[in-house]
Amino acid sequence: MIKLEHPDLDAGDVFKQCISRVRNKELKTRLESIEADVSQASETFADLAAQVRLYEFVREAVVNGVVTTAEMDAVYNQRMVPKTAPGRAAYDKLMSLARSGKCPLCAQRDASTLDHHLPKAHYPILSVVPLNLVPSCKDCNKAKLASLPTNASEETLHPYFDDIDGDRWLFASVQTTTPASLKFFVIPPNHWDAVLAARMLLHFEALGLGALYAAQGADELLNIRHQLQTLHDIGGAAIVRSELSSRAESAAAARINGWRVSAFQAFAESDWFCDGGFRAF
């Protein structure tokens, strides 16, 4: 996961902008009556997220007893997402937070939508709250759709609040298959507490990152197989291992938990792979 900067957007202002063109007077009156509730919900969300206590956020099907889940869903889908929607500027600003346009949840695919960290179907008051909206790819968004934490260990990682790249946690091992393949896995650092370790494992498994990174590793092997064969012809396993170690070191300088770091390191540490296993078809 990639840490993102907190969005510089006020939840109350975003909500006001989104409902600014509502023509139904009765609906607009009800929506305006919950503006303070939306602002308060944003503050509560921030406090709970910082303490890994979002599982305590109260689920409410009808906001303040006057605005339904369907009506709040429409505020997001009709008044924030469309290109000409009054709240589109906030949507675009949130999307721009994705580093290099990549989904922070998988750090691999392009960010193409906003993910509701706590699903709006169950937490309608958070439908357009910026802190609850994270740029993501469609696959990660779909995988997280029904995430309803009941305790701290069940809270998926949040790119605005969790920074886990100060430690190495992603690793891989070579599988002596035909063709050669990789198995990715998480080893939480010893100094992490049990809750963070559980959340990291949940994030990795729920989003299917092991399979995603393994597929990327297989594609990378296809791209470098010819070069590895050339190097092997020149200097055998030793020069192949040296090249792979250099690639791992270079990748680590960019991001220590990028899948390439683990892939090249695993390749380099495998005697079977370095001495011709890369040729297996």
Side-chain angles (χ1 to χ4, degrees):
M1 189 195 75
I2 301 174
K3 178 73 169 65
L4 299 182
E5 294 297 324
H6 277 223
D8 184 21
L9 291 167
D10 180 82
D13 291 341
V14 171
F15 183 68
K16 287 180 183 179
Q17 189 61 40
C18 287
I19 67 172
S20 61
R21 299 181 195 166
V22 175
R23 294 182 178 180
N24 183 308
K25 292 183 179 180
E26 186 272 337
L27 172 60
K28 189 165 187 176
T29 296
R30 286 190 290 110
L31 290 170
E32 289 176 337
S33 74
I34 66 165
E35 288 178 6
D37 299 279
V38 171
S39 294
Q40 182 58 57
S42 180
E43 294 179 12
T44 301
F45 183 99
D47 290 341
L48 294 177
Q51 301 174 63
V52 196
R53 293 170 51 205
L54 279 176
Y55 64 94
E56 296 180 7
F57 198 99
V58 178
R59 292 166 59 180
E60 186 180 34
V62 181
V63 180
N64 201 24
V66 295
V67 179
T68 67
T69 297
E71 288 168 335
M72 288 300 289
D73 183 79
V75 172
Y76 175 76
N77 284 312
Q78 298 176 21
R79 304 185 183 282
M80 188 176 193
V81 177
K83 295 287 187 181
T84 59
R88 180 67 191 204
Y91 183 98
D92 290 339
K93 188 167 185 177
L94 289 166
M95 286 296 297
S96 73
L97 297 175
R99 294 185 186 179
S100 301
K102 294 298 181 182
C103 171
L105 302 178
C106 65
Q108 184 60 36
R109 294 176 289 243
D110 291 338
S112 57
T113 188
L114 290 179
D115 169 64
H116 286 78
H117 186 76
L118 291 181
K120 65 182 185 301
H122 299 280
Y123 303 88
I125 197 168
L126 299 174
S127 292
V128 296
V129 168
L131 289 176
N132 192 46
L133 296 170
V134 178
S136 72
C137 65
K138 291 182 179 179
D139 291 284
C140 286
N141 192 353
K142 183 178 180 180
K144 278 187 74 275
L145 198 58
S147 178
L148 294 172
T150 60
N151 57 62
S153 296
E154 293 179 358
E155 289 190 22
T156 52
L157 298 172
H158 194 314
Y160 298 150
F161 294 89
D162 296 302
D163 187 356
I164 56 170
D165 270 349
D167 299 301
R168 175 82 183 275
W169 48 263
L170 181 64
F171 298 86
S173 62
V174 171
Q175 308 298 294
T176 56
T177 53
T178 303
S181 59
L182 290 164
K183 180 179 180 180
F184 287 83
F185 50 91
V186 171
I187 301 180
N190 290 332
H191 64 272
W192 282 15
D193 61 40
V195 169
L196 180 56
R199 294 176 69 215
M200 181 68 254
L201 289 167
L202 173 65
H203 181 90
F204 186 81
E205 294 171 3
L207 299 185
L209 299 187
L212 172 62
Y213 297 158
Q216 295 298 319
D219 187 59
E220 186 74 5
L221 178 54
L222 286 174
N223 291 329
I224 66 174
R225 180 177 280 124
H226 177 73
Q227 180 192 14
L228 297 183
Q229 181 61 63
T230 299
L231 291 173
H232 193 270
D233 291 343
I234 295 172
I239 193 170
V240 170
R241 179 173 287 108
S242 177
E243 170 64 21
L244 293 168
S245 295
S246 294
R247 287 179 178 242
E249 183 179 352
S250 179
R255 181 169 176 265
I256 192 172
N257 288 301
W259 68 264
R260 286 183 173 84
V261 179
S262 297
F264 289 130
Q265 184 179 70
F267 287 150
E269 292 175 350
S270 170
D271 292 338
W272 170 81
F273 184 87
C274 291
D275 202 25
F278 57 84
R279 290 192 297 254
F281 282 96

